[in-house]
Amino acid sequence: MGAYRDHYRRSIEARDEFWADEAKLIDWQTPPSQICDFSRPPFVRWYVGGRTNLCHNAVDRHVATRGEQTALHFISTETDAEVKYSYRELHAEVNRVAAMLQSLGVGQGDRVLIYMPMIPEAVFAMLATVRIGAIHSVVFGGFASASLATRIDDAQPKVIVSADAGMRMGKVVPYKPLLDAAIDLAAKKPARVLLFDRKLEPMALKAGRDVDWAALRATHHEAAVPVAWVDSTHPSYILYTSGTTGRPKGVQRDTGGYAVALTSSMRKVFALDPGETMFCTSDIGWVVGHSYIVYGPLLNGNTTIMYEGVPLRPDPAIWWKICAENNVKTMFSSPTAIRVLKKQDPDYMKRHKLPALRYLFLAGEPLDEPTARWVSDALGGTAIIDNYWQTESGWPILSAQIAVEDTPRKFGSPSFPVYGFDVVLKSEDGSAVGADQKAVLTIRPPLPPGALSTVWGDDERFVSTYFGSFRDEALYNTFDWATRDADGYYFILGRTDDVINVAGHRLGTREIEEAVQGNALVAECAVVGVADSLKGQVPVAFVVLKDPSQAGDAARSAIAQTVDREIGAIARPAAVHFVTLLPKTRSGKLLRRSIQALAEGRDPGDLTTIEDPSALAQIKGALGIA
Ligand code: PRX
């Protein structure tokens, strides 16, 4: 492992020199005068003095060298649409949308909230926003009104970009009514709403606020909007993510550091040269979509495939058909998606020859060994690469880095620390961590380029949430448990906090609890993540009703509907159990971990602090455990 080790070591020990070299991968209007400013830990500023622009690096600079190459290849198996945009065409579209946003009053530093299905216009809107030095906040289309309203209030966008509807499994999923309800709920209303009409669902425009995309685009057809050169540290986007509290955190990304790290990762981690094709099956509403549908591939001059649809329609061979027909070299997906495919007729996996598909990266949740083995066997020559990271990191923290060195992989392990991340395993009591010993995965700051620079509007929260866990050293806490084996391979063992991972979607149990509590029947509740063979984890709710006689299916479906409305169907509890008491400590703290253990058929652990042991008996009773 010489090449990997040397490369990694250099990134930590000769940090500035290393990242100065990587910075040459992008264009700078003004080169940085300082690579890393860590004078105010734990805050770090990368490429200080440098001026650049994300859209210039993702689009403009490729027009001269690869203008006719496909930049964005959109495929929808929902609407049967397929459109290719060359870098030249993408440039023209982005200029139009930039002019449209400017005409709606968006200027440098303003926020643009994007609540859109997986359509090219969402990508145009993202790129147009950063082109003019504004800051986007993409909200996943599966989030419902109340979640959207919280994000509107936090980001305070001047403009929201949205659409009439999305489509999933052949069914229209309306967006506009949810957006209208969210704006009604929000304390700070956006001045204007730009709406792309896919003609899937009738959409009434609100006079004075709503603007039709096509009509506005027509007036900006020939637009040429110069890029706004911004400081490297200028925020490019905010992306909300769940944590321990009910209030999502706005992960804030810079401009220069993100552009460098993402371009670099495309070469060294994802092993793509400019001109090659990547297919990432995530959604633009998540960090994987931001980094590996949009920014990474475009920054690196690749062709990116954007897919609207599910892996099973029109049949379970669809993803492999897309890979075969488009010479996809690197694919990026989630373990849940592979587990879904694993349940189908194995012939679908053999229908297409995939000589070009070299790598399948899987991330977002633990990749269990049987699934990794199955997909490895099914795809034959494709390397399966588990990679571990977070919304906060922006790009992989642990992964094989095949373009640096093709190190052997172990199923169940995302291999080693990625260059730039000074990974430290920290035991809870501060003692040294030996091989195979469970500890908290932390990162010694400064966090590398591309990672979050702060929590939007809340520096204090950034410091206390992420760097306040250990008394002796201000290490960045990932809130994940991990081990490292004697060969140096890492294994992720799950979260240390109340975050759960449902089909690769990160959700906070507190958020779901707050949603459940939003139902008028509910007095109190506990939500825990329970292991699920398909989705990894599913939320399960234990509910105390105000009137216990109401316990039954009607109350169950009412609670499910409340969660759908407050957060979205992704957070809907897989089961709702009724109890009259929740297990708590004498100081009133919910014993979530004990409840979770019972729900997973494990030992509930230390219960000496429980206030009323009969509460646990009720949980057992609800679960049908003797
Ligand atoms: O618990 C870890 C899990 O997903 C969390 C981050 O989720 P999110 O912010 O949505 O970012 C996903 C980016 C890929 C982590 O804290 N996780 C992510 N990747 C893995 C993983 N757990 C196990 N193995 C992984 N490869």
Side-chain angles (χ1 to χ4, degrees), residues 240-242 286-288 332-333 335 362-367 385-398 412-414 476 478-481 491-497 499-501 504-507:
Y240 288 90
T241 193
S242 302
W286 306 111
V287 71
V288 177
F332 191 133
S333 193
L362 296 170
E365 51 177 323
L367 173 61
I385 301 170
D386 184 352
N387 62 130
Y388 159 88
W389 48 295
Q390 309 184 303
T391 304
E392 290 85 346
S393 67
W395 60 295
I397 299 170
L398 298 173
S413 165
Y476 169 87
T478 62
F479 299 100
D480 280 302
W481 294 110
F491 294 81
I492 301 294
L493 308 174
R495 298 279 302 195
T496 67
D497 60 3
V499 166
I500 63 172
N501 213 312
H505 301 323
R506 173 168 162 184
L507 297 166

Side-chain angles (χ1 to χ4, degrees), residues 305-332:
I305 293 180
M306 179 184 202
Y307 177 71
E308 181 188 45
V310 296
L312 302 179
R313 273 173 40 106
D315 63 54
I318 179 65
W319 282 359
W320 316 114
K321 179 170 182 270
I322 290 172
C323 287
E325 287 176 355
N326 298 289
N327 269 319
V328 171
K329 182 181 180 190
T330 296
M331 186 170 168
F332 191 133

Side-chain angles (χ1 to χ4, degrees), residues 93 96-97 100 124 212-222:
E93 290 294 349
R96 288 173 195 132
V97 182
M100 288 153 66
F124 306 158
D212 177 64
W213 176 294
L216 189 59
R217 181 177 178 276
T219 66
H220 293 285
H221 202 263
E222 304 306 323

Side-chain angles (χ1 to χ4, degrees), residues 203-236:
M203 165 166 70
L205 298 188
K206 188 173 168 185
R209 187 195 73 183
D210 296 352
V211 185
D212 177 64
W213 176 294
L216 189 59
R217 181 177 178 276
T219 66
H220 293 285
H221 202 263
E222 304 306 323
V225 176
V227 299
W229 298 111
V230 294
D231 284 338
S232 172
T233 54
H234 180 71
S236 56

Side-chain angles (χ1 to χ4, degrees), residues 199-282:
K199 310 247 184 307
L200 294 177
E201 179 88 346
M203 165 166 70
L205 298 188
K206 188 173 168 185
R209 187 195 73 183
D210 296 352
V211 185
D212 177 64
W213 176 294
L216 189 59
R217 181 177 178 276
T219 66
H220 293 285
H221 202 263
E222 304 306 323
V225 176
V227 299
W229 298 111
V230 294
D231 284 338
S232 172
T233 54
H234 180 71
S236 56
Y237 71 75
I238 309 166
L239 180 55
Y240 288 90
T241 193
S242 302
T244 12
T245 68
R247 199 162 55 93
K249 292 181 288 277
V251 163
Q252 179 179 321
R253 206 81 71 198
D254 73 352
T255 297
Y258 186 64
V260 171
L262 266 287
T263 315
S264 168
S265 74
M266 288 302 290
R267 303 275 173 100
K268 291 179 172 175
V269 181
F270 296 96
L272 281 164
D273 287 326
E276 297 179 319
T277 302
M278 172 135 183
F279 175 23
C280 171
T281 69
S282 182

Side-chain angles (χ1 to χ4, degrees), residues 358-385:
R358 296 280 303 279
Y359 309 108
L360 171 61
F361 285 83
L362 296 170
E365 51 177 323
L367 173 61
D368 56 287
E369 198 176 321
T371 301
R373 270 188 207 288
W374 176 82
V375 71
S376 177
D377 292 345
L379 292 177
T382 305
I384 310 303
I385 301 170

